[in-house]
Amino acid sequence: MLSLSLLAVSTLALVQSFAVGLVLPSDEAQYRQTNRSVNAQTQQELASVLKCNTTIIGPSDPGWADATESCEQDVARIVSIVPHFHHGYYLNAAQVRYANHHHIAFYAVSRGHSLTTDAARFTGIEIDMRNLNSIRVKPNRKTAEFQGGVYGQEAIENLWGKGLVTATGTCSCVSLIGPALGGGHGLQQGKHGLTSDHIVSMNVVLADGSTIRVNERNHPDLWWALRGAGHNFGIVTSFESKVWPDNFKRYFIRTYQYSSRSHDAVFEAVNKFQGNGTLDPSWLASFGLYAMNNTLSTTEATLYWVFLYDGPKTDEVVAALKPFDQLLPLS
């Protein structure tokens, strides 16, 4: 283990499970041996490049499983890097420059919740920002600076003690910036918009390793792209985002699951419920997603729909959701 921030090294051949006594084809055995050499060389080279308190972890090190954990367990990493110091701007740029110089693919991870199959097929350098989790509220208490690894629960707990809230997702374990780069549904969107609507500026490492600050005036093309389609335009190492006085102490949330036979009726009911944009902002959130739930069906996607209300459960709130209760939800 090389001690410098947290860096992990792997390839698919090294993380796949093989049965005891399995004889590998000669070309596959050679592939595994070659990548062991690549991993060792990469560790040593990065140790000399990343001079800022980094720990480089390989597949045989005790911290490897934690360093590479993600929703997609079959990601084939050559290197995974997790900074352990306060400012990750320089380190991420150095990693990108190294990857470009050696023609190695790279991508950034904030919390590891990507569900795309592309993530599972990726081979290259993973830049893991989970330990870049600093939060600093600005003196005007209207914005705060978040590092790229901050996730929902950290933001909620940090800001709540200061009487503030910001946009966070419905799952507290997911990062702030990951969903924001795709728009970002969350618990404040009824009153304050999507997570991307909260962002004031971003510090970004570009694909060539250069670093820029992006906002409405600086690099307006990237500013437009990063707030909704931004996952491949750069690595957001930190960002400034709007914060608000805490606007609710109690809230009511209800989640429905529907089979395919109810989907059309659900969307009709949602359109009526939202009244073409006239829905009371006390309904902080109304959104859904499709997912496969094999406990319900192995052939059809399940539709999940979430409602969040600013306040306690009342007869009026329950009555507003009655049309959805009548559509035969699975739960």
Side-chain angles (χ1 to χ4, degrees):
M1 181 181 295
L2 301 177
S3 203
L4 274 136
S5 173
L6 173 56
L7 186 113
V9 181
S10 152
T11 64
L12 181 59
L14 295 177
V15 297
Q16 285 180 325
S17 297
F18 294 98
V20 176
L22 176 64
V23 178
L24 296 174
S26 58
D27 57 342
E28 187 168 356
Q30 182 178 2
Y31 173 75
R32 293 182 66 189
Q33 184 60 44
T34 299
N35 280 284
R36 285 194 183 96
S37 300
V38 170
N39 290 334
Q41 178 182 350
T42 303
Q43 284 183 282
Q44 294 295 330
E45 291 176 349
L46 279 168
S48 65
V49 172
L50 307 178
K51 301 176 181 178
C52 299
N53 185 30
T54 307
T55 302
I56 304 176
I57 296 179
S60 61
D61 292 321
W64 174 251
D66 289 339
T68 59
E69 182 181 12
S70 67
C71 287
E72 289 288 355
Q73 294 298 322
D74 293 329
V75 177
R77 304 166 184 84
I78 293 175
V79 174
S80 178
I81 307 170
V82 186
H84 272 268
F85 60 99
H86 189 67
H87 298 290
Y89 203 79
Y90 161 76
L91 178 58
N92 287 315
Q95 294 162 15
V96 169
R97 287 194 291 269
Y98 174 88
N100 281 326
H101 180 73
H102 293 277
H103 307 289
I104 302 173
F106 60 89
Y107 78 146
V109 173
S110 188
R111 285 289 291 174
H113 284 86
S114 173
L115 297 177
T116 64
T117 56
D118 285 346
R121 292 194 298 264
F122 176 83
T123 300
I125 293 179
E126 174 192 274
I127 301 173
D128 193 324
M129 300 192 294
R130 277 176 278 198
N131 288 323
L132 295 178
N133 57 1
S134 170
I135 302 171
R136 184 172 62 88
V137 176
K138 295 298 183 70
N140 63 12
R141 290 175 57 85
K142 292 184 178 180
T143 65
E145 190 85 13
F146 300 88
Q147 287 193 307
V150 172
Y151 66 95
Q153 190 67 30
E154 291 174 327
I156 291 169
E157 292 179 354
N158 183 290
L159 296 177
W160 193 259
K162 301 176 176 67
L164 299 169
V165 295
T166 192
T168 56
T170 57
C171 179
S172 61
C173 62
V174 176
S175 74
L176 297 190
I177 193 60
L181 292 175
H185 287 298
L187 304 184
Q188 295 291 325
Q189 69 182 50
K191 289 193 173 180
H192 301 306
L194 299 174
T195 308
S196 58
D197 296 324
H198 286 63
I199 296 177
V200 176
S201 64
M202 308 180 211
N203 289 320
V204 181
V205 177
L206 299 179
D208 62 0
S210 61
T211 58
I212 60 173
R213 189 166 181 86
V214 178
N215 55 38
E216 191 172 9
R217 293 179 299 278
N218 298 321
H219 309 283
D221 52 347
L222 275 177
W223 174 246
W224 176 86
L226 286 167
R227 295 177 305 128
H231 295 96
N232 290 310
F233 289 100
I235 300 172
V236 180
T237 59
S238 64
F239 60 99
E240 184 178 354
S241 183
K242 296 175 184 176
V243 295
W244 313 90
D246 56 62
N247 56 342
F248 60 89
K249 298 294 186 183
R250 297 177 63 190
Y251 61 91
F252 171 73
I253 186 168
R254 177 169 290 179
T255 301
Y256 294 93
Q257 298 180 61
Y258 294 98
S259 67
S260 60
R261 67 172 182 249
S262 300
H263 292 182
D264 289 346
V266 170
F267 287 120
E268 290 178 7
V270 167
N271 288 334
K272 185 175 181 180
F273 175 81
Q274 298 188 155
N276 195 29
T278 61
L279 181 64
D280 183 344
S282 294
W283 288 96
L284 297 171
S286 167
F287 59 86
L289 60 88
Y290 285 103
M292 292 301 297
N293 185 338
N294 290 337
T295 64
L296 300 175
S297 174
T298 59
T299 59
E300 297 179 340
T302 299
L303 174 63
Y304 294 76
W305 206 269
V306 179
F307 295 95
L308 180 69
Y309 182 75
D310 179 2
K313 180 179 180 180
T314 64
D315 292 341
E316 182 180 2
V317 171
V318 172
L321 297 180
K322 188 175 180 180
F324 300 94
D325 295 330
Q326 296 172 338
L327 295 177
L328 302 176
L330 300 171
S331 67

